[in-house]
Amino acid sequence: MEKYFLETNHLTKTFGKQVVVDDVSIKVKIHTVYGLLGPNGAGKSTLLKMLTGLLRPTKGEIIINGHPWSRKDLKDIGALIESPALYGNLTAHENLLVHAKLLRLPESRIQEVLHLVGLENTGKKKASQLSFGMKQRLGIAKALLNHPKLLILDEPTNGLDPLGIQDLRKLIKSFTENGITVILSSHILSEVKQLADYIGIIQNGKLRYEGKIDESQDLEKLFVDVVNE
Ligand SMILES: Nc1ncnc2c1ncn2[C@@H]1O[C@H](COP(=O)(O)OP(=O)(O)O)[C@@H](O)[C@H]1O
Ligand SMILES: [Mg+2]
């Protein structure tokens, strides 16, 4: 039997009259990378925000590791939604220290996560002086602080160059090998293709396709077919 770390059942979110996430049921297999693909405004961030408790679903349910989602599950979830909220005048270490203290984690954890994302040598550099890719990685380090079992990354490749995307791919693969399940979103097909094991295509709030992706597949054609259907 397949084991899913995360499932949504008929998940729906409306803002006023607008149905932004519309009856979405996804299944995310444990220790894989699930890529949520869809154009701007499709409802990706809204869906991810419901998974992190930033928004309350209007209808439907979220199942984490076999049980209905509750706030307690946040201890197992790490998230980077939209761009990382960093203190520009603090160093990478200091930024993480703020969160480690809030989460009551030992200070030693900071060096561990900085090492995981390859930022252990930024020293006295302030966050505002880091490159875009480094800021993203610091955001991911922050999401990793609490040893999450589920990592949620909203458009993590946004603004990264091809090399940065390759690095991120390696980094994300290393997470799944270490027991983390990842769900990420992107509006760029080629990026999801490089990062994800499974994809879900979302358009106008609806899940239009879900499946495993492999090298042989013409994802461009699939995407165009699904979106034009
Ligand atoms: N807090 C909100 N209030 C009202 N409308 C919202 C809110 N958040 C998002 N929306 C709308 O929901 C739709 C989907 O947004 P979003 O989930 O951010 O899409 P995506 O992340 O796929 O680009 C958009 O039309 C957006 O304007
Ligand atoms: Mg978004």
Side-chain angles (χ1 to χ4, degrees), residues 40-41 43-46 82 154-155 185:
N40 285 319
K44 304 180 295 297
S45 297
T46 303
E82 287 158 355
D154 190 19
E155 307 258 2
S185 74

Side-chain angles (χ1 to χ4, degrees), residues 144-171:
L144 288 170
L145 271 175
N146 61 337
H147 300 274
K149 296 190 181 118
L150 176 67
L151 185 62
I152 298 174
L153 304 174
D154 190 19
E155 307 258 2
T157 53
N158 227 353
L160 289 186
D161 58 39
L163 275 178
I165 294 169
Q166 278 309 316
D167 285 350
L168 190 66
R169 176 195 159 88
K170 280 189 213 137
L171 186 62

Side-chain angles (χ1 to χ4, degrees), residues 13-16 18-21 36-49 55 82 154-155 185-187 202 205:
K13 179 72 189 178
T14 57
F15 290 117
Q18 194 190 0
V19 188
V20 170
V21 173
L36 202 57
L37 180 66
N40 285 319
K44 304 180 295 297
S45 297
T46 303
L47 175 60
L48 297 182
K49 283 177 187 168
L55 287 173
E82 287 158 355
D154 190 19
E155 307 258 2
S185 74
S186 174
H187 62 283
I202 181 167

